[in-house]
Amino acid sequence: MSDEVRTYDLIVVGAGAAGLATAHRAVDLGARVLVLEKADTPGGSAALSAGILWTAPDLDVLGRIQPDGDPELGSLVVKGYEQAVDDVRASGASVSDEWRDHLEWGRACKIDIARLFEVWAREIADSGDLLTNVSRVELRTEGDAVMGVRFRHRGECVEAYARGGVVLATGGFQGDPELRQSFIGFGADDIAVRSNPHSVGDGFRLGRSAGGAASRHLSAFYGHTLPSPLTVDARVFLRLTLYCSAYGIIVNRQGRRFTDESLGDEVSNQLLVRQPGHRAVLIWDDEVQRKRALAVPYPSGMALDRHAEATELGARTAAADSLEGLIGTVAGWGVDGAGLRRTLEAYRRASEGADVPLDAPLPLRPSPLATPPFRAVEIQPCITIPFGGLRVDGDSRVLDRSGQAVPGLFAAGADAGGAQDLRYVGGIVFGFVFGRRAAESALSSIATRA
């Protein structure tokens, strides 16, 4: 038996970027909202991020970068970007000037995400309820329709119902080893998690229990490489992310390249999961060190010597005045020295125009390793959010296997999948855009029924 029953206009499960954006928009529309968060504070993984709001600048670029993503969902994010920025400004949180070369093709701005979440959380709590340390959330249904939730809070079992339904925004399944292995494969249960520890697939499981279908792209994810064998936690999430890998050479333990490095560190990171031992080595020369590795990766980013800091923290790193010396050190880490030597020679010749076979395409910006000293660091893959989740439509409604909406059930943020595949076209912005759309869709259903 439940100790208490409550009624709201909308219930949101999860208080990260998507959940807070959903609830904020619902409050703006005059709704009374209940937000449930399992952690002791709201914010989710977005609160640990650099607060960069970004995506593709137009649909042509989106189609080039993300040709296999859901075209409806992706286009809505591109079209909804400016509204998302306006929503941040309206809260009073600071928004930087926009820059147009994020990852060399995106539009972006930096927001004061801590201030934004503080304002939104206060607004939600003042007009409804925002509960933290919530556990054992279950969906309550009548027939095929989702009507509310049951959960535990402060030792009590509570039932809550919402006229508009329930929005799932729990942040993805990256924290659950079983789901990582099931969907990503390649021993992904053993890779590091570069996000909050509470996103363990609660939203995905709840949606599936109500008849929701899985989206496409369940095996794809966003994350970045980090030095190995360092422990991955919030202290190194941003400081030691190796954005400069797009300008270096990455080889696996066989000494072979397995990625076009110029596609970006987030792409190399995904492909690294498929390599022996989930480890690789990033190599670059002093020109890349001076022009890329020591430079800020984006406006307001941190300028620091990540190689030196990784060395100080105990990562496997090397520096040498000759490539032969570097190869000798890297071979001591379990990399095939002869294979690495062949790879570097073939890469050099291909970058000079020779027609030689390569294990991976030559990057648009070849890094021929011409300027000593040469540097190397062993790298490991990390997952921040999955690209797969529940199948949704453009109004954030969860769809079943036949493509029909599950009545009363919505999903936003990393719980809603299918819009992205191998390439990354934004994270926080997806939560903001589809959180807003979820609130509007759910609350419009109240008027329709009335």
Side-chain angles (χ1 to χ4, degrees):
M1 291 291 293
S2 298
D3 298 322
E4 185 179 355
V5 178
R6 306 177 185 179
T7 303
Y8 299 85
D9 295 309
L10 187 66
I11 296 171
V12 181
V13 184
L20 291 174
T22 302
H24 165 72
R25 179 56 178 161
V27 169
D28 269 357
L29 294 173
R32 184 167 182 263
V33 184
L34 169 64
V35 178
L36 305 176
E37 171 57 47
K38 70 191 299 185
D40 55 7
T41 57
S45 296
L48 303 173
S49 75
I52 306 299
L53 194 63
W54 77 280
T55 193
D58 54 55
L59 297 183
D60 288 340
V61 173
L62 176 69
R64 174 171 59 84
I65 298 298
Q66 197 67 270
D68 199 33
D70 185 292
E72 179 187 12
L73 301 181
S75 66
L76 288 171
V77 169
V78 172
K79 295 173 183 177
Y81 173 83
E82 292 182 3
Q83 179 64 65
V85 175
D86 288 344
D87 288 344
V88 177
R89 287 199 178 99
S91 75
S94 64
V95 178
S96 74
D97 292 336
E98 183 178 279
W99 65 90
R100 284 278 183 152
D101 59 350
H102 194 65
L103 300 183
E104 300 192 350
W105 51 263
R107 65 186 301 193
C109 62
K110 181 176 175 61
I111 64 176
D112 184 346
I113 200 160
R115 173 62 177 165
L116 175 68
F117 287 173
E118 177 186 349
V119 171
W120 282 359
R122 184 172 61 248
E123 290 176 351
I124 295 161
D126 286 346
S127 62
D129 290 305
L130 197 168
L131 306 181
T132 57
N133 296 301
V134 170
S135 63
R136 301 183 187 179
V137 178
E138 301 174 3
L139 295 178
R140 309 301 289 162
T141 60
E142 290 184 10
D144 295 332
V146 175
M147 306 298 293
V149 295
R150 181 167 59 188
F151 60 94
R152 292 197 66 83
H153 184 244
R154 296 180 177 175
E156 296 184 350
C157 184
V158 182
E159 284 197 4
Y161 292 87
R163 296 189 300 155
V166 175
V167 180
L168 302 174
T170 66
F173 61 75
Q174 64 273 11
D176 186 277
E178 180 182 3
L179 290 180
R180 293 200 309 270
Q181 179 59 31
S182 296
F183 297 138
I184 299 172
F186 304 104
D189 56 326
D190 196 36
I191 64 174
V193 177
R194 182 182 173 269
S195 73
N196 84 86
H198 302 290
S199 293
V200 292
D202 294 332
F204 183 81
R205 291 189 176 92
L206 288 171
R208 296 283 280 173
S209 74
S215 74
R216 299 180 61 216
H217 308 315
L218 285 166
S219 64
F221 61 94
Y222 164 66
H224 280 286
T225 63
L226 285 168
S228 170
L230 298 185
T231 299
V232 174
D233 57 34
R235 293 171 297 179
V236 301
F237 284 173
L238 298 178
R239 289 191 63 83
L240 294 186
T241 292
L242 295 165
Y243 302 100
C244 65
S245 76
Y247 306 95
I249 298 174
I250 302 176
V251 298
N252 61 19
R253 287 183 170 173
Q254 297 167 333
R256 293 182 170 182
R257 292 175 59 244
F258 54 88
T259 180
D260 174 352
E261 295 88 347
S262 63
L263 293 177
D265 185 70
E266 67 278 8
V267 174
S268 299
N269 178 69
Q270 288 188 70
L271 300 180
L272 175 51
V273 174
R274 306 176 185 182
Q275 304 309 307
H278 305 311
R279 293 296 183 271
V281 175
L282 167 63
I283 300 171
W284 68 99
D285 70 0
D286 200 55
E287 181 178 358
V288 171
Q289 172 74 358
R290 289 181 286 104
K291 293 182 178 180
R292 300 292 183 177
L294 296 179
V296 294
Y298 46 81
S300 78
M302 291 178 286
L304 69 153
D305 188 336
R306 289 173 171 82
H307 185 274
E309 187 160 327
T311 302
E312 183 176 345
L313 292 175
R316 290 194 179 99
T317 66
D321 289 329
S322 70
L323 283 176
E324 195 59 39
L326 194 77
I327 291 170
T329 300
V330 169
W333 303 344
V335 174
D336 184 333
L340 175 56
R341 193 175 290 107
R342 288 192 297 268
T343 293
L344 295 183
E345 175 61 17
Y347 185 99
R348 180 191 65 78
R349 292 182 60 201
S351 68
E352 294 173 348
D355 184 12
V356 295
L358 297 173
D359 293 316
L362 190 69
L364 296 175
R365 305 170 296 267
S367 178
L369 300 180
T371 310
F374 306 102
R375 291 172 174 84
V377 59
E378 184 179 80
I379 58 176
Q380 61 178 310
C382 304
I383 179 171
T384 300
I385 54 171
F387 288 160
L390 294 168
R391 184 182 175 191
V392 298
D393 65 10
D395 289 321
S396 297
R397 299 180 300 174
V398 174
L399 305 179
D400 63 19
R401 288 180 179 270
S402 66
Q404 299 300 306
V406 178
L409 189 61
F410 305 82
D415 282 354
Q420 305 190 72
D421 190 7
L422 186 66
R423 303 289 295 273
Y424 180 52
V425 292
I428 297 172
V429 67
F430 275 79
F432 287 2
V433 169
F434 287 106
R436 166 181 270 269
R437 297 185 69 87
E440 293 173 348
S441 179
L443 297 178
S444 71
S445 70
I446 297 177
T448 301
R449 287 196 300 270

